[in-house]
Amino acid sequence: MSLGTVDDAEFQAWASRVKGRIDSGQLKEEIGQSTKRIGVQAIRTLKSNTPVDTGALRKAWTAEGPSVSGGGWVVKVSNPTEYASYVESGHRTRGGKNWVPGQFFMKNSLNAIDSQLPDLITPGLWAFRDLLS
């Protein structure tokens, strides 16, 4: 006894379009470009929010990537200046009697970048998302 037939031609056509974009490398390229845009904006935002005394902390920001790691795309943003965490979170003075409050420039920058993410995604990646929905 048959319950009927299913015409999945429309689904197969959609699956073929998705597979074509993936196989062509277009999706990988769009994700890479979007990730790079996020990294560039992260550096720009971090530098503009970093407090300046000598300028060394602001100048030390770097970005590496994008790369694929652990199943996801990564841009590594870092600042090797040894005192960056103390400026960010605060610290005691040399004598230990007073507290210098943190500037929270990294935390504030990450919040700003997070709110900018939709604008940093390439139009091609948005188009791929629309293809999936």
Side-chain angles (χ1 to χ4, degrees):
M1 179 170 123
S2 173
L3 296 176
T5 60
V6 175
D7 181 8
D8 69 344
E10 191 175 320
F11 172 76
Q12 293 299 331
W14 173 83
S16 179
R17 285 193 310 273
V18 170
K19 184 178 183 327
R21 294 237 178 124
I22 292 170
D23 290 347
S24 72
Q26 182 183 6
L27 178 59
K28 185 176 181 179
E29 180 68 27
E30 292 294 338
I31 293 171
Q33 286 180 6
S34 294
T35 306
K36 185 172 185 170
R37 289 173 69 168
I38 292 166
V40 167
Q41 185 61 32
I43 291 293
R44 189 177 296 140
T45 303
L46 283 160
K47 282 186 173 185
S48 69
N49 289 338
T50 300
V52 177
D53 183 17
T54 65
L57 184 59
R58 182 176 280 184
K59 289 177 191 170
W61 286 108
T62 62
E64 297 174 30
S67 62
V68 179
S69 176
W73 285 79
V74 176
V75 172
K76 181 181 177 184
V77 177
S78 62
N79 191 318
T81 309
E82 66 181 58
Y83 58 87
S85 64
Y86 301 114
V87 177
E88 170 71 10
S89 303
H91 60 91
R92 291 217 175 272
T93 56
R94 290 188 190 252
K97 295 180 182 179
N98 295 316
W99 178 258
V100 177
Q103 300 290 314
F104 303 107
F105 61 97
M106 288 185 267
K107 179 181 176 187
N108 294 336
S109 294
L110 290 176
N111 289 337
I113 295 162
D114 189 48
S115 69
Q116 297 168 12
L117 286 177
D119 296 330
L120 298 173
I121 303 300
T122 61
L125 192 54
W126 283 120
F128 189 80
R129 183 204 63 168
D130 293 342
L131 177 64
L132 294 177
S133 57

